[in-house]
Amino acid sequence: MMKRYMDNLRNVSLFATLNEKDMEVVSKIIFVNTYSKGEVVFQEGEKGDSLYIILKGQVKVCLYDEDGREYILAAIGKDGFFGELALIDELPRSANAITLENSELLIIRRHDFTRLLMENPTITIAILKVLSRRLRETDERIRWLAFLSVEGRILKYLLGVGEKEGVKVKDYIIIEKGPTQIDIASSCGCSRETVSRMIKSLVKKGILSVRKRQYTLNAVPPTF
């Protein structure tokens, strides 16, 4: 029944290198669920037993500090996945996952996932490679949060968004319907007011131009 989702699985980096036979094995252990905008998929601290793949929509993975301020770890769109750590270490969820829009998710349960890894070494190796890449990306994120100025962090974040969602035109990267200042603040560990000041500074320096939520960045900005 889930064979109709095999084309979707091929677009997911976690399974992209699998052959037809392995893909068919994976398709047999998935099921689908729908979520409304703003719905909590899971919360930090709760028991985790599922991996989620986004068929449609967008999900933010975030943390909250003691004052309730949100810090966005990632905004994941179509063909992205999240929740994989709980499948491997069996520890409680380390973050919250909340839909940013109406979403449709493919779900794989832990017991099915574990059996899949034990019975299919090629799938195991492919998944380990993807998870290793994610760890490297996390290390890079920690590095720029620790060592860059606030202005540098905001520029780095916008360049990352531009790399994924923007369009390169000559020496510029254009982001249509870019993140809000609140999104930027949550992702860069600062207040919305600070984001506003830093964006004005980047505009004044000629590194960035903003029109509503359209951002235009120099493809090769100065270092900070």
Side-chain angles (χ1 to χ4, degrees):
M1 157 174 156
M2 287 300 171
K3 282 188 178 181
R4 63 195 175 107
Y5 292 110
M6 284 177 63
D7 286 340
N8 298 99
L9 291 174
R10 288 188 186 93
N11 294 326
V12 178
S13 60
L14 199 60
F15 305 115
T17 61
L18 302 185
N19 59 36
E20 196 75 11
K21 181 180 177 182
D22 288 336
M23 198 71 78
E24 190 170 333
V25 171
V26 175
S27 72
K28 291 178 180 177
I29 64 170
I30 59 178
F31 64 97
V32 183
N33 202 2
T34 57
Y35 296 81
S36 301
K37 179 180 178 180
E39 188 170 350
V40 175
V41 181
F42 57 72
Q43 291 181 304
E44 180 183 4
E46 72 180 33
K47 181 180 178 181
D49 66 348
S50 301
L51 163 73
Y52 298 85
I53 298 164
I54 301 177
L55 277 179
K56 183 177 69 175
Q58 190 176 37
V59 173
K60 66 179 177 182
V61 178
C62 60
L63 295 170
Y64 296 99
D65 65 18
E66 293 180 355
D67 298 322
R69 188 170 68 174
E70 181 182 65
Y71 179 71
I72 298 176
L73 302 175
I76 305 169
K78 187 177 182 301
D79 300 327
F81 64 93
F82 60 95
E84 70 281 0
L85 291 181
L87 293 184
I88 297 170
D89 60 19
E90 300 187 29
L91 294 175
R93 296 291 189 189
S94 58
N96 307 281
I98 303 168
T99 57
L100 291 170
E101 52 192 73
N102 293 339
S103 301
E104 188 174 8
L105 308 179
L106 287 177
I107 303 171
I108 300 178
R109 297 291 191 197
R110 177 191 287 138
H111 64 274
D112 294 320
F113 187 78
T114 302
R115 189 173 67 248
L116 176 75
L117 297 185
M118 293 178 66
E119 296 175 355
N120 299 271
T122 56
I123 296 177
T124 303
I125 292 169
I127 289 173
L128 284 173
K129 286 180 178 178
V130 173
L131 295 181
S132 295
R133 186 166 69 246
R134 278 208 165 181
L135 283 173
R136 290 182 184 277
E137 290 172 355
T138 300
D139 287 345
E140 175 62 21
R141 186 180 181 87
I142 291 170
R143 185 178 294 113
W144 65 259
L145 279 172
F147 297 114
L148 288 179
S149 65
V150 177
E151 187 174 288
R153 296 204 303 265
I154 290 170
L155 181 57
K156 182 83 172 177
Y157 170 76
L158 289 174
L159 286 169
V161 173
E163 186 177 330
K164 292 178 181 177
E165 304 173 12
V167 177
K168 189 170 182 180
V169 180
K170 294 185 178 179
D171 294 329
Y172 297 93
I173 298 171
I174 300 171
I175 307 169
E176 300 283 354
K177 294 183 180 178
T180 65
Q181 289 191 2
I182 292 175
D183 292 334
I184 297 171
S186 297
S187 297
C188 296
C190 59
S191 68
R192 191 200 63 77
E193 291 76 17
T194 300
V195 171
S196 180
R197 288 200 312 272
M198 294 301 101
I199 285 179
K200 287 177 182 176
S201 174
L202 291 169
V203 170
K204 189 174 180 180
K205 292 175 181 178
I207 299 169
L208 172 71
S209 64
V210 183
R211 183 181 177 186
K212 293 185 178 179
R213 283 176 60 189
Q214 182 193 74
Y215 298 84
T216 302
L217 303 106
N218 286 339
V220 186
T223 56
F224 286 81

